[in-house]
Each structure stands twice: as structure tokens, then as C-alpha cells.
Amino acid sequence: MTGGYTGKILRANLTDETFKIDPLPKDWIREYIGGDGFAAKLLYEEVAARIDPLSERNKLIIATGPITGTLWPMSGRTVFVSKAAQTGIWGESHVGGFLGPELKYAGYDMLVVEGKAEDPVYLLIQDGHLQIHSAKDFWGMTTDKVTTAIQKKHNDPDIQIAAIGPAGENLIRFSAVIINHARAAGRTGMGAVLGSKNMKAIAIRGTGSVEVADHEGFLELAKEAHDRLRNNPQAKEMGKWGTWILTAVKQQIGELPTYNHRTGVFPGWEKLSADYIRPRYTVSDRACFGCSLGCKKLNYVSHGPYAGTLEEGPEYEGLMAFGSALGIADYPTTLKANQICNKYGMDIISAGSTIGFAIESFEGGAIDEETTGGLKLEWGNSDLAIKLLELIGKREGFGDILAEGTRRAAEILGPETEPFALHVKGLEFSGQDGRTHRSIGLGHATGARGADHLRSLVTVDQLGYQDVAAERWGADKLPEIVDPYTETHKAVAVFETENTYAIRDTMIVCWYSVSWPPVFWMRDFANILPLATGEKSLGDVENLTKIAERQVTLKRLFNTREGISRADDRLPPRFTDEPMPEGPGKGQTVNLEPMLDDYYNLRGWDLETGLPTSKTISRLSLDWAVTNK
Amino acid sequence: MSSQLLVDYTKCTGCRVCELACSAKHEARFQPSLARLKIVKYDDLGLDVPNVCGPCEEAPCVEVCPVYAMRRDAVSKMVYLDHDKCILCKSCAGACVNGVILLDTYSMRIIKCDHCGGEPECARMCPTGAITYGPTSTSKTVDRHSKILGYLREIERSAEAQESGGVE
Ligand code: SF4
Ligand code: SF4
Ligand code: SF4
């Protein structure tokens, strides 16, 4: 096999309780590289249009890339791909930790979970030893408990475990898969897909190796890359403060989502900032596999109602979701919320956002105490937020409705709640605001999985990296391209950023070395990929760009097959019609349509329908996808 | 004064770059299971504890070897394995207090840290300074329990900061 890959796809069929090992098709490497790319190809081919994501016919894929498990910095991440339980369209969720490398060491590039078990089961993969065990005794357990229980049962603390909690079992639409206690494949409802298959956990232990094509050459470049990261001042800051530094930055440009995205400034922001949190709560720094940066923080709360909480996180997104977005200026509340999300297995972004939707609906008179089961919903109430979160996790009372996520909850609760339901294609907004960060307005609207910040978020404008912008996109586009308050050039920035991230997600490397801080870019990928794989064509930036375009358009085709078109690439009126009420970006709105036109032109998608044109499809050698309707 | 691998248990993030670097150097591939050191991870507590060869007061691997294949350098106190003498009885692997002597069942040989001949790759690649190489006297933290203690101290310290910071 070409270097970097194990050359094997492992399939576990839960209906027949069988395993099958397929060879990795060689031609996939040149056209899709790995990770997201392989998964998109497989999902498109094998999961038919319009099936129910929670049915036996859906599949869940865990994919790695050619550099997963090597010494390239931050290459320990893994992707979960499935038809999304939450949205019914393309679903993917990347996760850190150690699971992907372990799968490679066990001998597989991908794991595909198919069918449905009659009774609860978990998978145990120990190199070539493949087993399906009963999980009857584990059903109902929180993710931390089941993780420890499986490690104990098999007498090996080094088994890497991806588990669902009660949320996944109860098919909560935004349920997550949790890796070894604290890393979450959070978005789009991967937990519910496993839950629908009666699959409690995937346990992996591998003792083999990953061998690249040119070991010496690869090693030299990987070490250099580690040094570049370690000497990068922004990366050092990131290592110290984690994603928490973002709170202050976003407050400064008026993009800190507050009160369900009503405004972009939060008076209590300081209590959610890195400077405030780290000295008071952080007890240790942790990292994912092979990472020089180490953005993960373990924190402890010793006082107040959440005293005794010891947990990693949350990321900036969690600070936003259970902090500013709900009007709560209290870090311990966000840590507690993160702990509940980890234990139950839920996405903290969607959970917080759905609660924000409920509070605003209550405040706006669209729902009342009769609907909420007697709860008075209000901003800034920690107890209430935690209580609602637990109700969701258990699907009890009003929580049963919120467990459906914002879009479905609004359908259940009636059209009066619609203005407060903030989502794109069914996925709730991450912690950005297009009004004061225009490029993300376009990214949220066009993201393959919905209102997503991880596939095309331009940080160069948000954080004002002038030099980086000039180098990537040409000095002639300055200053507009780094001005977060204008639409000018933003489609180009989103297009090129999305392309680079697409390659990042095939390799797979962490967001944080590529996006923020922007240390590695296409050129670096082109340098390392041939050394890893031995495939020379992956050393050409132009070719990588084409692979990236193929990747983005293939996900688009997956979605258009489900009925998605330009009409769905929209933002709620909150962002397009309601001007930012205060702060440095006061008065700003998103003018989406011209950015969409530019973006479709760059992608080669039809301006009217938003569908990839036949010319684009054949340019990207995706004709097979069209015949495979 | 001779040099040893020194571990500061309070700094380790559990990234396992050291395991990758060790296997890359000695096996010419990426295979943490054959690294000559091991990061013991407690994900439930958020703790990561590096286990390396030495410095041992007594070296049980030397004591236990029935054919005297393990030799301890009198000055450096580092233990070396003579593969020609080794009969693969695995006694040393069982005796090592740090659990870092292994039997590679593929090539059928005992593998053990040799300090990379004085230029330890793990120390070179560790991003946090949790593993360094130098005279034992410069060791800040030689006691494995210190990470746990340090950790509890951090929890106490954060408690004080929260109290004085006016957090209700
Ligand atoms: S930067 Fe953070 S998320 Fe990324 S690999 Fe390192 S520890 Fe994991
Ligand atoms: S000193 Fe060398 S052989 Fe010993 S653990 Fe470190 S890298 Fe491995
Ligand atoms: S490289 Fe350093 S920080 Fe990372 S696991 Fe090894 S000892 Fe710990």
C-alpha cells in the first residue's frame, strides 16, 4: 500500500453481527486523499437519498487520514461521518484525542458501522481481534462510567473509547459521541445515529504502526513543523489560554453572541475571559495526540453551587453557548454545563442555542409556563439553564421538546416561536455573527452541515492578520479583505479558506494549526503529503485545490440529492434584517445575496438553483455521483 | 556527574510526542507500542504521567537477569542490554518498576531505552519540557507522586483564588 495508509476498511455489520475487511481502493487516494474525502465518497455511494438517518440503512463512518498517527503536529484527530440525525443532510464531526491513531495502529484507515443490533452492543477492536459484545449492562450509563467500565472489563486502561450517553440512547437530535471522557464529536447528532443502532460504544486498541513513504524526509519536515508551531507567538498564547482568548477578541469587534444572538456585546464578558478563568480555575494543561500546542485545560470549581466540578473545557464555544448567549456571566456554570454535555453526550453549542431559543420565545410571549411545565424562563439564570440541560439529557418534561433541536422544537411550539429559532438547515449557530464578521455570514449560510464555523471560517479578517491576507490573497485586496464589516472580497476569502480546510480535513490535522493561528497552509500540505503517501500528484498545490473543490462539491451533491438548493442557503432575519443594536458594529447587517452570487460563481454552482453545474461536475470528475442518484 | 532522563510530572500534557519520536528513531516507523518510554494517562482525572528508564536506585532488571545480559554502567548508572546474551526470558520486562522494558513479539527481541547514545530524542521533541536530559542533581521533580501532589496543590490554589476573587 502507498505510505501513510493501512490499506484496509473495516466494516462492522450489527444486523448480521459480522465483520468484513475491504481493501482501500487505490484510486481514492489520488482523488480524495483520506479523512473527510474517503468518507464523503463512501457515504454518497452507500447511503441512498431520502432515507431516515435514524434507520438501519444509515451508516456511521469513522475515518482517518494518511498522516493520522504520525509525528506531524496535531495529526491525532478523527472524523465521524453519517447522514445527520439532526438535519437529515451531510453530517460530520471532527474530534481530538487518541481514537484515530489507535484505529490506524489496529490496522484500519476507516471503520464503517452498518445495520442495527437487536440488543445493545459495543464493538471491541483489538488489532485483528474483532468482537461484538453485549452492552446490556452498560445501557443507560453516562459516557464517563461506560468508558471506565469497558477499560476495566478488558483489563486495559489504554483502550480508546468512543461512547454515547443517555442522550444518544434517547435519540436526542444533537447528541454527541464522547471520546475518553472529554473529547466530543459534538455536532449534527452522531450520538443518535449510534443510539438508533443500539450501539453503546466503540472500543479500540492497536499495537501496530503507521509507516510513511519516505520516513527520513517526513521526519525532518515534521520536526521542522513542530518547531514552527512552538516558536509561533500566537500558538504559544493559544497553548496557554486555549480558545478562551477569543472572548475578549470577539467582545472587541462586537461579535460575542449574547441573548440568543440578539447583540454582539456582553457586559459580563470579563468573567468569561481567559485572563479571568485560567488563574482561578485551571489545574492542568492537556493535549491531543502528537500536539505541541496543548489547548485543552482541566478545570476545577471549589466554591458556589457547582463546587466540586472537575472537568476539561469548555472551549470558547461553550463559554458562549452557556455564558453570553444565555446572559450568564459565570464561568462555573459553563464548566458544569460542559460536564453534563460530556456525561450525557450532547453538543454544547446546539444545547445552549436551543435553550436560548426557548428563553427568547418565552420572553416574547410565544410560549408560557403551561408549555414549559411551570418553569419561568429568563436570561442570566444559571440554575434554570442547568436544569433545562438536564431535562433535555433525560428527555423529561419540556426537555423532551427541546431535545429535538431548535428547528423541530419551533415546529412543535408554533409559528410564533419561529423568529427566535436560529439555525441554518437545522443546525444551530456557532459563536459567530455575520453582521460583525461578514465572511462567516456567508460561511454559515453555505456550510454543508448547516450554521458551521469549522469548514470555512476566515480568521484572517476576524483577527486582522494583514500580512497573512496579503500573502494568500494579494495585497490589492487590502484593506477590505481584513475588514470584518464589509462584504467585499469575502466570497474569495471563504472559497479559498474552505478549500484549504477541506485538505486539512482529509489529512487530518487540527483546526488550530491551520486556521488559528494560521501557521500551515496549502503549500505545507503539498510538501508533506508526497513524503507521507509517495503519491507525487499530492505535491502540487493546484491539484490539491482541485481535490478540495471536488470535496466541497461532493458534499454539496449529497445535500442537493436531499433537496437542498439556493433557497436553503439563507440566514435568519436576525442577521440580514435586524441591525446589530450596539457596540462597535452597531447598525451592521449581512447583505447575503451578492456574496452568495460570488461564491456560487467561484464554486461553479448554478446562480439560480445553487446546484453544481454539469460543467463543474465533469471538471471535478464527479460524473459517477450524478449517475448514482 | 552523569546524565539521566529527568521528568517533571507537572508539565506533561499527555501528547505522546515522545512515544512517537522514540519509535520513529528506533523503529523507523510510528509505533508508540514499541516506544522505550510510556505515558500513563488517567483521562478520568486529567492526569498524564511519563514513565522513563531510570534513574533507579536499585536496578531490578539487572538483578533479575539470569544470564547477566543487563549491565549497569558504574558511572552513569544507565543500564544497557547485551542482545547477544539475552535468552528472551522476559524477566526484566516483568521486573522493571517503570514498565518500560518490552518484548517486541514481531522481531522477537527485548527493547529498552539506551538514552539514544546521549542524545535522547524524546527530550529533544517534548514540547513542554516535561522530559529533559541532564545531571540528576538538577532534577526539579524526581518523585512520581509529586505530580499528584502538585495537582492537588493547584486545586487548592485555584480554590484560594476563587475565594479571594470574590466568587460566591
Ligand atoms: S490544538 Fe487543541 S484540539 Fe488541536 S490537537 Fe492540540 S490539543 Fe487537540
Ligand atoms: S532516550 Fe531515546 S530510547 Fe530512551 S525513551 Fe527517549 S527516545 Fe526512547
Ligand atoms: S512529549 Fe512531553 S508533554 Fe508530551 S507526553 Fe511526552 S513527556 Fe508529556
Side-chain angles (χ1 to χ4, degrees), chain A residues 73-77 96-97 183 238 286-296 315 510-513:
Chain A
M74 301 141 104
S75 60
R77 296 181 63 100
R183 306 290 152 82
M238 174 82 175
R286 305 197 80 210
C288 303
F289 193 76
C291 177
S292 274
L293 195 149
C295 75
K296 303 296 179 206
E315 300 288 330
C510 180
W511 217 86
Y512 294 122
S513 56

Side-chain angles (χ1 to χ4, degrees), chain A residues 265-582:
Chain A
V265 286
F266 181 48
W269 70 274
E270 263 162 309
K271 291 226 163 146
L272 300 173
S273 68
D275 289 345
Y276 187 87
I277 302 168
R278 176 159 182 128
R280 288 175 177 78
Y281 299 100
T282 303
V283 288
S284 73
D285 300 293
R286 305 197 80 210
C288 303
F289 193 76
C291 177
S292 274
L293 195 149
C295 75
K296 303 296 179 206
K297 310 293 161 216
L298 189 82
N299 307 290
Y300 179 70
V301 175
S302 62
H303 287 77
Y306 309 120
T309 309
L310 177 71
E311 190 75 24
E312 272 189 36
E315 300 288 330
Y316 156 75
E317 289 288 337
L319 291 183
M320 178 280 307
F322 276 83
S324 59
L326 302 183
I328 296 170
D330 181 44
Y331 170 72
T333 307
T334 66
L335 187 68
K336 184 69 193 174
N338 202 44
Q339 185 176 63
I340 296 170
C341 284
N342 284 346
K343 284 188 196 282
Y344 280 82
M346 289 188 279
D347 173 30
I348 196 165
I349 302 176
S350 288
S353 184
T354 308
I355 291 172
F357 151 76
I359 296 175
E360 203 180 5
S361 298
F362 190 92
E363 188 191 49
I367 57 172
D368 56 20
E369 280 167 70
E370 209 175 303
T371 315
T372 65
L375 292 170
K376 268 202 197 57
L377 308 192
E378 57 182 6
W379 303 115
N381 185 336
S382 298
D383 284 356
L384 173 84
I386 296 297
K387 168 131 212 205
L388 282 172
L389 184 60
E390 279 173 338
L391 287 176
I392 294 172
K394 295 181 187 145
R395 266 199 187 268
E396 269 174 31
F398 185 46
D400 191 28
I401 297 175
L402 300 186
E404 288 295 304
T406 302
R407 179 170 69 185
R408 282 191 177 76
E411 278 162 21
I412 299 168
L413 295 171
E416 305 78 40
T417 62
E418 196 54 48
F420 314 118
L422 303 185
H423 64 85
V424 176
K425 305 179 181 86
L427 190 74
E428 292 82 3
F429 278 78
S430 51
Q432 296 76 29
D433 192 318
R435 289 173 294 183
T436 41
H437 179 189
R438 219 62 114 240
S439 55
I440 192 63
L442 178 60
H444 276 154
T446 54
R449 62 176 188 176
D452 188 354
H453 63 300
L454 295 175
R455 301 283 94 71
S456 67
L457 176 74
V458 183
T459 56
V460 173
D461 57 344
Q462 181 189 30
L463 305 173
Y465 294 120
Q466 299 239 12
D467 306 348
V468 182
E471 191 190 310
R472 280 182 200 165
W473 302 311
D476 57 314
K477 298 200 179 60
L478 286 170
E480 290 91 344
I481 202 152
V482 295
D483 177 358
Y485 300 156
T486 165
E487 280 80 13
T488 318
H489 302 315
K490 291 302 147 50
V492 179
V494 167
F495 170 75
E496 293 192 10
T497 302
E498 191 176 32
N499 286 343
T500 305
Y501 293 2
I503 302 302
R504 174 200 71 192
D505 292 345
T506 61
M507 296 186 37
I508 302 168
V509 279
C510 180
W511 217 86
Y512 294 122
S513 56
V514 182
S515 322
W516 177 56
V519 183
F520 306 117
W521 206 246
M522 278 298 203
R523 185 69 256 161
D524 303 290
F525 301 161
N527 288 341
I528 198 69
L529 276 169
L531 295 173
T533 61
E535 177 55 57
K536 296 248 167 1
S537 66
L538 300 182
D540 175 25
V541 171
E542 245 171 72
N543 184 39
L544 287 187
T545 305
K546 189 165 179 187
I547 294 172
E549 288 186 57
R550 177 177 301 127
Q551 177 71 2
V552 175
T553 292
L554 178 55
K555 291 184 194 173
R556 180 68 172 187
L557 286 171
F558 187 91
N559 283 346
T560 57
R561 198 169 62 162
E562 300 295 334
I564 295 291
S565 69
R566 178 163 185 152
D568 301 285
D569 292 346
R570 52 169 280 281
L571 293 172
R574 170 137 302 165
F575 302 99
T576 50
D577 299 355
E578 285 176 37
M580 183 60 87
E582 58 189 325

Side-chain angles (χ1 to χ4, degrees), chain A residues 69 71 98 105 158 180 207-211 215 223 227 230 276 279-281 286-287 290-291 298 300 302 304, chain B residues 13-15 20 24 28-33 38 41 43 45-46 48 121 124-125 151 155 157-159 162 168:
Chain A
L71 193 58
F98 301 79
Y105 299 143
D158 290 328
N180 281 24
T207 60
S209 65
V210 173
E211 289 176 60
H215 185 76
K223 286 186 189 176
D227 288 341
R230 291 171 198 182
Y276 187 87
R280 288 175 177 78
Y281 299 100
R286 305 197 80 210
C291 177
L298 189 82
Y300 179 70
S302 62
Chain B
T13 59
C15 68
L20 281 166
R29 53 184 189 259
F30 302 103
Q31 188 168 12
S33 68
K38 175 155 177 68
K41 301 179 70 74
D43 283 324
L45 291 171
D48 306 288
E121 189 72 359
R124 145 85 177 85
M125 287 306 293
Y151 182 77
I155 289 185
R157 187 197 55 74
S158 77
Q162 286 172 50
E168 326 70 75

Side-chain angles (χ1 to χ4, degrees), chain B residues 11-19 37 39 50 122 125-131:
Chain B
K11 286 189 177 151
C12 176
T13 59
C15 68
R16 297 171 69 191
V17 163
C18 49
E19 292 181 4
L37 80 176
I39 305 303
C122 52
M125 287 306 293
C126 172
T128 62
I131 298 183

Side-chain angles (χ1 to χ4, degrees), chain B residues 94-147:
Chain B
C96 175
V97 286
N98 290 314
V100 292
I101 302 182
L102 307 167
L103 174 69
D104 177 356
T105 49
Y106 186 73
S107 66
M108 282 319 274
R109 82 215 137 113
I110 293 288
I111 54 176
K112 179 191 172 302
C113 173
D114 62 359
H115 283 183
C116 296
E119 283 177 45
E121 189 72 359
C122 52
R124 145 85 177 85
M125 287 306 293
C126 172
T128 62
I131 298 183
T132 50
Y133 187 63
T136 351
S137 60
T138 61
S139 166
K140 285 186 219 76
T141 321
V142 284
D143 173 11
R144 177 174 329 219
H145 300 295
S146 61
K147 168 128 188 179

